[in-house]
Amino acid sequence: MTTFNYEINIEATTEAEAESKMRAIIILVKKLKANELSRLAHIVQNDPIKTAMAKKALGV
């Protein structure tokens, strides 16, 4: 598999929060396929009920 490099900006209140978000993003990218990531992003952006249910199930 080919590796592509990107420079991104992460919105966060502290640098520690930004680093935590980046670590989480890296894990998601490694573990999920592109179509799974796209579907997850679509649900988070457009379906607040499913997003709230997922957060509750995760204990967040």
Side-chain angles (χ1 to χ4, degrees):
M1 187 178 301
T2 306
T3 300
F4 298 92
N5 294 313
Y6 290 91
E7 184 175 322
I8 65 168
N9 296 315
I10 298 174
E11 292 183 17
T13 55
T14 65
E15 187 173 353
E17 180 186 358
E19 289 176 9
S20 178
K21 286 182 174 185
M22 192 64 213
R23 283 192 299 273
I25 290 167
I26 290 168
I27 292 169
L28 292 173
V29 169
K30 286 182 179 180
K31 298 290 184 176
L32 298 176
K33 296 177 185 173
N35 64 329
E36 294 169 336
L37 280 170
S38 294
R39 181 70 178 138
L40 178 60
H42 176 78
I43 290 170
V44 170
Q45 186 173 27
N46 299 302
D47 196 334
I49 294 171
K50 284 184 184 176
T51 302
M53 289 171 49
K55 285 181 176 181
K56 185 176 180 181
L58 293 169
V60 215

